mmCIF file of all heavy atoms in Angstrom:
data_model
loop_
_atom_site.group_PDB
_atom_site.id
_atom_site.type_symbol
_atom_site.label_atom_id
_atom_site.label_comp_id
_atom_site.label_asym_id
_atom_site.label_seq_id
_atom_site.Cartn_x
_atom_site.Cartn_y
_atom_site.Cartn_z
ATOM 1 N N LEU X 1 8.096 -9.385 12.880
ATOM 2 C CA LEU X 1 8.020 -8.242 11.969
ATOM 3 C C LEU X 1 9.416 -7.815 11.504
ATOM 4 O O LEU X 1 9.615 -7.504 10.323
ATOM 5 C CB LEU X 1 7.323 -7.061 12.655
ATOM 6 C CG LEU X 1 7.183 -5.793 11.805
ATOM 7 C CD1 LEU X 1 6.316 -6.063 10.578
ATOM 8 C CD2 LEU X 1 6.590 -4.657 12.628
ATOM 9 N N ALA X 2 10.375 -7.816 12.429
ATOM 10 C CA ALA X 2 11.736 -7.426 12.069
ATOM 11 C C ALA X 2 12.308 -8.340 10.997
ATOM 12 O O ALA X 2 13.056 -7.899 10.111
ATOM 13 C CB ALA X 2 12.623 -7.442 13.307
ATOM 14 N N ALA X 3 11.966 -9.621 11.060
ATOM 15 C CA ALA X 3 12.461 -10.562 10.050
ATOM 16 C C ALA X 3 11.922 -10.237 8.658
ATOM 17 O O ALA X 3 12.592 -10.472 7.646
ATOM 18 C CB ALA X 3 12.082 -11.986 10.443
ATOM 19 N N GLY X 4 10.717 -9.685 8.600
ATOM 20 C CA GLY X 4 10.110 -9.373 7.298
ATOM 21 C C GLY X 4 10.422 -7.992 6.788
ATOM 22 O O GLY X 4 10.134 -7.680 5.620
ATOM 23 N N THR X 5 11.008 -7.126 7.628
ATOM 24 C CA THR X 5 11.265 -5.739 7.212
ATOM 25 C C THR X 5 12.721 -5.327 7.386
ATOM 26 O O THR X 5 13.040 -4.146 7.321
ATOM 27 C CB THR X 5 10.371 -4.773 8.021
ATOM 28 O OG1 THR X 5 10.638 -4.952 9.422
ATOM 29 C CG2 THR X 5 8.895 -5.020 7.738
ATOM 30 N N GLY X 6 13.605 -6.277 7.603
ATOM 31 C CA GLY X 6 15.016 -5.965 7.804
ATOM 32 C C GLY X 6 15.702 -5.522 6.528
ATOM 33 O O GLY X 6 15.162 -5.610 5.425
ATOM 34 N N LYS X 7 16.955 -5.051 6.682
ATOM 35 C CA LYS X 7 17.725 -4.514 5.558
ATOM 36 C C LYS X 7 17.929 -5.543 4.450
ATOM 37 O O LYS X 7 17.868 -5.228 3.262
ATOM 38 C CB LYS X 7 19.081 -4.015 6.056
ATOM 39 C CG LYS X 7 19.012 -2.759 6.904
ATOM 40 C CD LYS X 7 20.412 -2.295 7.285
ATOM 41 C CE LYS X 7 20.363 -1.011 8.111
ATOM 42 N NZ LYS X 7 21.729 -0.555 8.502
ATOM 43 N N GLU X 8 18.175 -6.792 4.854
ATOM 44 C CA GLU X 8 18.447 -7.817 3.848
ATOM 45 C C GLU X 8 17.229 -8.058 2.972
ATOM 46 O O GLU X 8 17.336 -8.191 1.744
ATOM 47 C CB GLU X 8 18.889 -9.110 4.545
ATOM 48 C CG GLU X 8 19.493 -10.129 3.596
ATOM 49 C CD GLU X 8 20.050 -11.351 4.321
ATOM 50 O OE1 GLU X 8 19.461 -11.744 5.350
ATOM 51 O OE2 GLU X 8 21.056 -11.899 3.839
ATOM 52 N N VAL X 9 16.046 -8.101 3.596
ATOM 53 C CA VAL X 9 14.816 -8.312 2.826
ATOM 54 C C VAL X 9 14.544 -7.106 1.930
ATOM 55 O O VAL X 9 14.193 -7.253 0.751
ATOM 56 C CB VAL X 9 13.623 -8.571 3.766
ATOM 57 C CG1 VAL X 9 12.327 -8.665 2.955
ATOM 58 C CG2 VAL X 9 13.841 -9.846 4.562
ATOM 59 N N ARG X 10 14.695 -5.916 2.476
ATOM 60 C CA ARG X 10 14.423 -4.714 1.678
ATOM 61 C C ARG X 10 15.379 -4.617 0.481
ATOM 62 O O ARG X 10 14.983 -4.217 -0.614
ATOM 63 C CB ARG X 10 14.534 -3.473 2.560
ATOM 64 C CG ARG X 10 13.407 -3.369 3.591
ATOM 65 C CD ARG X 10 13.483 -2.069 4.377
ATOM 66 N NE ARG X 10 12.429 -1.975 5.382
ATOM 67 C CZ ARG X 10 11.191 -1.555 5.148
ATOM 68 N NH1 ARG X 10 10.854 -1.191 3.917
ATOM 69 N NH2 ARG X 10 10.294 -1.502 6.122
ATOM 70 N N ALA X 11 16.636 -4.999 0.678
ATOM 71 C CA ALA X 11 17.587 -4.985 -0.432
ATOM 72 C C ALA X 11 17.202 -6.012 -1.492
ATOM 73 O O ALA X 11 17.314 -5.759 -2.704
ATOM 74 C CB ALA X 11 18.998 -5.259 0.085
ATOM 75 N N ALA X 12 16.732 -7.168 -1.052
ATOM 76 C CA ALA X 12 16.306 -8.207 -1.991
ATOM 77 C C ALA X 12 15.093 -7.759 -2.793
ATOM 78 O O ALA X 12 14.970 -8.053 -3.992
ATOM 79 C CB ALA X 12 16.010 -9.503 -1.239
ATOM 80 N N VAL X 13 14.185 -7.022 -2.136
ATOM 81 C CA VAL X 13 12.985 -6.538 -2.823
ATOM 82 C C VAL X 13 13.352 -5.488 -3.875
ATOM 83 O O VAL X 13 12.710 -5.393 -4.921
ATOM 84 C CB VAL X 13 11.982 -5.969 -1.796
ATOM 85 C CG1 VAL X 13 10.873 -5.219 -2.499
ATOM 86 C CG2 VAL X 13 11.404 -7.088 -0.950
ATOM 87 N N VAL X 14 14.391 -4.702 -3.609
ATOM 88 C CA VAL X 14 14.847 -3.743 -4.614
ATOM 89 C C VAL X 14 15.335 -4.480 -5.854
ATOM 90 O O VAL X 14 15.050 -4.085 -6.995
ATOM 91 C CB VAL X 14 15.962 -2.850 -4.034
ATOM 92 C CG1 VAL X 14 16.614 -2.023 -5.142
ATOM 93 C CG2 VAL X 14 15.401 -1.932 -2.957
ATOM 94 N N ARG X 15 16.063 -5.570 -5.641
ATOM 95 C CA ARG X 15 16.588 -6.341 -6.776
ATOM 96 C C ARG X 15 15.497 -7.143 -7.477
ATOM 97 O O ARG X 15 15.585 -7.402 -8.674
ATOM 98 C CB ARG X 15 17.696 -7.278 -6.291
ATOM 99 C CG ARG X 15 18.939 -6.567 -5.761
ATOM 100 C CD ARG X 15 20.087 -7.543 -5.514
ATOM 101 N NE ARG X 15 19.771 -8.499 -4.459
ATOM 102 C CZ ARG X 15 20.051 -8.313 -3.174
ATOM 103 N NH1 ARG X 15 20.631 -7.176 -2.778
ATOM 104 N NH2 ARG X 15 19.758 -9.236 -2.277
ATOM 105 N N HIS X 16 14.482 -7.548 -6.714
ATOM 106 C CA HIS X 16 13.412 -8.391 -7.269
ATOM 107 C C HIS X 16 12.071 -7.858 -6.758
ATOM 108 O O HIS X 16 11.474 -8.410 -5.837
ATOM 109 C CB HIS X 16 13.615 -9.849 -6.839
ATOM 110 C CG HIS X 16 12.701 -10.812 -7.529
ATOM 111 N ND1 HIS X 16 12.992 -11.354 -8.751
ATOM 112 C CD2 HIS X 16 11.493 -11.321 -7.169
ATOM 113 C CE1 HIS X 16 12.015 -12.173 -9.117
ATOM 114 N NE2 HIS X 16 11.086 -12.167 -8.164
ATOM 115 N N PRO X 17 11.562 -6.754 -7.338
ATOM 116 C CA PRO X 17 10.345 -6.123 -6.820
ATOM 117 C C PRO X 17 9.138 -7.062 -6.883
ATOM 118 O O PRO X 17 9.022 -7.904 -7.786
ATOM 119 C CB PRO X 17 10.143 -4.921 -7.746
ATOM 120 C CG PRO X 17 11.460 -4.693 -8.389
ATOM 121 C CD PRO X 17 12.112 -6.031 -8.505
ATOM 122 N N LEU X 18 8.246 -6.911 -5.931
ATOM 123 C CA LEU X 18 7.000 -7.684 -5.895
ATOM 124 C C LEU X 18 5.906 -6.804 -6.482
ATOM 125 O O LEU X 18 5.337 -5.941 -5.808
ATOM 126 C CB LEU X 18 6.685 -8.100 -4.453
ATOM 127 C CG LEU X 18 7.840 -8.769 -3.688
ATOM 128 C CD1 LEU X 18 7.361 -9.286 -2.341
ATOM 129 C CD2 LEU X 18 8.469 -9.884 -4.510
ATOM 130 N N ARG X 19 5.618 -7.009 -7.762
ATOM 131 C CA ARG X 19 4.775 -6.084 -8.519
ATOM 132 C C ARG X 19 3.404 -6.686 -8.802
ATOM 133 O O ARG X 19 3.263 -7.889 -9.032
ATOM 134 C CB ARG X 19 5.452 -5.712 -9.833
ATOM 135 C CG ARG X 19 6.906 -5.263 -9.658
ATOM 136 C CD ARG X 19 7.473 -4.627 -10.904
ATOM 137 N NE ARG X 19 7.280 -5.410 -12.116
ATOM 138 C CZ ARG X 19 7.348 -4.923 -13.350
ATOM 139 N NH1 ARG X 19 7.581 -3.632 -13.525
ATOM 140 N NH2 ARG X 19 7.176 -5.694 -14.399
ATOM 141 N N ASP X 20 2.400 -5.810 -8.823
ATOM 142 C CA ASP X 20 1.037 -6.222 -9.146
ATOM 143 C C ASP X 20 0.388 -5.125 -9.986
ATOM 144 O O ASP X 20 0.770 -3.948 -9.904
ATOM 145 C CB ASP X 20 0.237 -6.454 -7.858
ATOM 146 C CG ASP X 20 -1.112 -7.112 -8.124
ATOM 147 O OD1 ASP X 20 -1.214 -7.864 -9.111
ATOM 148 O OD2 ASP X 20 -2.046 -6.863 -7.343
ATOM 149 N N LEU X 21 -0.583 -5.522 -10.797
ATOM 150 C CA LEU X 21 -1.334 -4.578 -11.633
ATOM 151 C C LEU X 21 -0.400 -3.757 -12.532
ATOM 152 O O LEU X 21 -0.577 -2.549 -12.723
ATOM 153 C CB LEU X 21 -2.186 -3.638 -10.770
ATOM 154 C CG LEU X 21 -3.161 -4.319 -9.801
ATOM 155 C CD1 LEU X 21 -3.900 -3.268 -8.982
ATOM 156 C CD2 LEU X 21 -4.142 -5.209 -10.546
ATOM 157 N N VAL X 22 0.584 -4.428 -13.088
ATOM 158 C CA VAL X 22 1.576 -3.730 -13.923
ATOM 159 C C VAL X 22 0.895 -3.144 -15.163
ATOM 160 O O VAL X 22 0.173 -3.836 -15.883
ATOM 161 C CB VAL X 22 2.700 -4.694 -14.344
ATOM 162 C CG1 VAL X 22 3.681 -3.976 -15.266
ATOM 163 C CG2 VAL X 22 3.411 -5.248 -13.118
ATOM 164 N N THR X 23 1.123 -1.860 -15.383
ATOM 165 C CA THR X 23 0.526 -1.160 -16.522
ATOM 166 C C THR X 23 1.635 -0.451 -17.282
ATOM 167 O O THR X 23 2.389 0.330 -16.713
ATOM 168 C CB THR X 23 -0.508 -0.121 -16.051
ATOM 169 O OG1 THR X 23 -1.463 -0.766 -15.207
ATOM 170 C CG2 THR X 23 -1.217 0.499 -17.240
ATOM 171 N N ARG X 24 1.734 -0.726 -18.579
ATOM 172 C CA ARG X 24 2.804 -0.157 -19.400
ATOM 173 C C ARG X 24 2.273 0.935 -20.306
ATOM 174 O O ARG X 24 1.195 0.820 -20.895
ATOM 175 C CB ARG X 24 3.464 -1.253 -20.233
ATOM 176 C CG ARG X 24 4.592 -0.759 -21.136
ATOM 177 C CD ARG X 24 5.211 -1.882 -21.941
ATOM 178 N NE ARG X 24 5.982 -2.789 -21.098
ATOM 179 C CZ ARG X 24 6.646 -3.855 -21.555
ATOM 180 N NH1 ARG X 24 6.614 -4.135 -22.851
ATOM 181 N NH2 ARG X 24 7.314 -4.625 -20.731
ATOM 182 N N SER X 25 3.048 2.008 -20.429
ATOM 183 C CA SER X 25 2.712 3.077 -21.374
ATOM 184 C C SER X 25 2.950 2.605 -22.797
ATOM 185 O O SER X 25 3.441 1.493 -23.041
ATOM 186 C CB SER X 25 3.580 4.305 -21.105
ATOM 187 O OG SER X 25 4.932 4.060 -21.513
ATOM 188 N N GLU X 26 2.643 3.470 -23.741
ATOM 189 C CA GLU X 26 3.049 3.208 -25.122
ATOM 190 C C GLU X 26 4.573 3.194 -25.213
ATOM 191 O O GLU X 26 5.271 3.723 -24.348
ATOM 192 C CB GLU X 26 2.528 4.312 -26.048
ATOM 193 C CG GLU X 26 1.035 4.420 -26.179
ATOM 194 C CD GLU X 26 0.657 5.550 -27.122
ATOM 195 O OE1 GLU X 26 1.334 5.706 -28.164
ATOM 196 O OE2 GLU X 26 -0.283 6.286 -26.812
ATOM 197 N N LYS X 27 5.081 2.603 -26.291
ATOM 198 C CA LYS X 27 6.500 2.736 -26.603
ATOM 199 C C LYS X 27 6.718 4.039 -27.366
ATOM 200 O O LYS X 27 5.927 4.403 -28.242
ATOM 201 C CB LYS X 27 6.983 1.567 -27.474
ATOM 202 C CG LYS X 27 7.162 0.257 -26.747
ATOM 203 C CD LYS X 27 7.769 -0.758 -27.718
ATOM 204 C CE LYS X 27 8.005 -2.100 -27.069
ATOM 205 N NZ LYS X 27 8.606 -3.072 -28.027
ATOM 206 N N TYR X 28 7.815 4.719 -27.027
ATOM 207 C CA TYR X 28 8.127 5.980 -27.690
ATOM 208 C C TYR X 28 9.517 5.899 -28.315
ATOM 209 O O TYR X 28 10.424 5.271 -27.760
ATOM 210 C CB TYR X 28 8.053 7.128 -26.693
ATOM 211 C CG TYR X 28 6.660 7.343 -26.152
ATOM 212 C CD1 TYR X 28 6.310 6.888 -24.880
ATOM 213 C CD2 TYR X 28 5.686 7.978 -26.925
ATOM 214 C CE1 TYR X 28 5.026 7.075 -24.385
ATOM 215 C CE2 TYR X 28 4.399 8.165 -26.437
ATOM 216 C CZ TYR X 28 4.078 7.711 -25.171
ATOM 217 O OH TYR X 28 2.802 7.886 -24.686
ATOM 218 N N PRO X 29 9.705 6.549 -29.475
ATOM 219 C CA PRO X 29 10.979 6.404 -30.209
ATOM 220 C C PRO X 29 12.125 7.184 -29.575
ATOM 221 O O PRO X 29 11.949 8.274 -29.023
ATOM 222 C CB PRO X 29 10.645 6.946 -31.598
ATOM 223 C CG PRO X 29 9.534 7.924 -31.366
ATOM 224 C CD PRO X 29 8.726 7.365 -30.225
ATOM 225 N N LEU X 30 13.321 6.607 -29.692
ATOM 226 C CA LEU X 30 14.559 7.215 -29.211
ATOM 227 C C LEU X 30 15.635 6.943 -30.250
ATOM 228 O O LEU X 30 16.040 5.801 -30.443
ATOM 229 C CB LEU X 30 14.954 6.631 -27.854
ATOM 230 C CG LEU X 30 16.303 7.070 -27.279
ATOM 231 C CD1 LEU X 30 16.271 8.558 -26.921
ATOM 232 C CD2 LEU X 30 16.676 6.236 -26.056
ATOM 233 N N LEU X 31 16.083 7.983 -30.937
ATOM 234 C CA LEU X 31 17.114 7.834 -31.960
ATOM 235 C C LEU X 31 18.477 8.024 -31.310
ATOM 236 O O LEU X 31 18.796 9.100 -30.818
ATOM 237 C CB LEU X 31 16.915 8.862 -33.079
ATOM 238 C CG LEU X 31 17.956 8.829 -34.201
ATOM 239 C CD1 LEU X 31 17.951 7.483 -34.916
ATOM 240 C CD2 LEU X 31 17.715 9.968 -35.186
#
């Protein structure tokens, strides 16, 4: 368990998130 939840793995997940069911809002304008 420690190997799968250590700092190095958590930092890697921040850089490369493991995402599912991604849902995007509308695009909104920004001038």
Side-chain angles (χ1 to χ4, degrees):
L1 180 63
T5 58
K7 290 183 179 179
E8 193 174 34
V9 175
R10 291 185 181 276
V13 169
V14 170
R15 295 190 295 269
H16 189 85
L18 310 187
R19 310 192 310 161
D20 190 29
L21 305 178
V22 177
T23 306
R24 180 180 290 181
S25 72
E26 295 180 41
K27 285 185 179 180
Y28 295 102
L30 174 67
L31 179 61

